Amino acid sequence: SYFEARSKHRFVKNSKTCLLIITGFRSIPSKVNPLLESLPSDISYYVPRCLGWGRTNYNSIDKLSWKDWVLQYMEAYDLLVSIGYHVVVVGHSTGCNIANILALQRNIEDVCYISPNFIVNDKHAMYQKIALCPIIGDIFCYLVRIFPNKPSDMSSEFEKSGFYYKYIPTNGVKQMWKLQNKNIRETDCSIKRCALFFDYEDDVVG
């Protein structure tokens, strides 16, 4: 990435509801700007910068675990609740996995999913099996430290802004796959009100 991304927030006086927005894999808070701009003016929101992403190097993502992502958003949720907000968790893409785990851990009743990425794409299934295999996976991730990111994967919006990834750290991908596996195993949840949004042409929804 080519600049330092920052968290985004808006805390409205006398607002009772706050959206905790969990961005997707390798994403940054500014990616959800269209959503933020469409919200009513009396709705508060908090979009933390996901640990490891939106920085000028990959030093931190190489050392992170999927558990670090979950704990980060768990702390954000606890903070908003302590202030007095009713928190609605909004997950985008891979962030939907974190939203599910968060709902289980904190008995959250209101969750919104945007283009959820719950399972690995077929074209990546073989790499997932290798990366998550004991011992062999560690050797694979040590030898293959990064995956190239093709220009076709970049939206024109982010090309213009100067923010995109030329390479994706292998450990980041591995932790995403671990997060998906963890979410699949978690079935007991407290969610009472759920909304799902996705485009019919979205090829990453799973």
Side-chain angles (χ1 to χ4, degrees), residues 1 3-5 26-28 49-50 52-56 163 165:
S1 60
F3 71 87
E4 305 287 310
R26 77 187 182 194
S27 188
I28 56 174
R49 177 190 65 82
C50 187
W53 303 118
R55 288 296 180 253
T56 54
F163 184 92
Y165 292 102

Side-chain angles (χ1 to χ4, degrees), residues 6 21 37 39 79 90 93 99 111 119 130 140 143-144 156 161 168 173 182 187 189 192:
R6 289 185 282 184
I21 302 176
E37 293 167 358
L39 294 175
L79 174 63
V90 180
S93 188
V111 178
I119 58 176
I130 295 174
F140 172 78
L143 295 176
V144 185
S156 58
S161 70
I168 304 299
V173 180
K182 173 65 176 178
T187 56
C189 206
K192 293 184 178 180

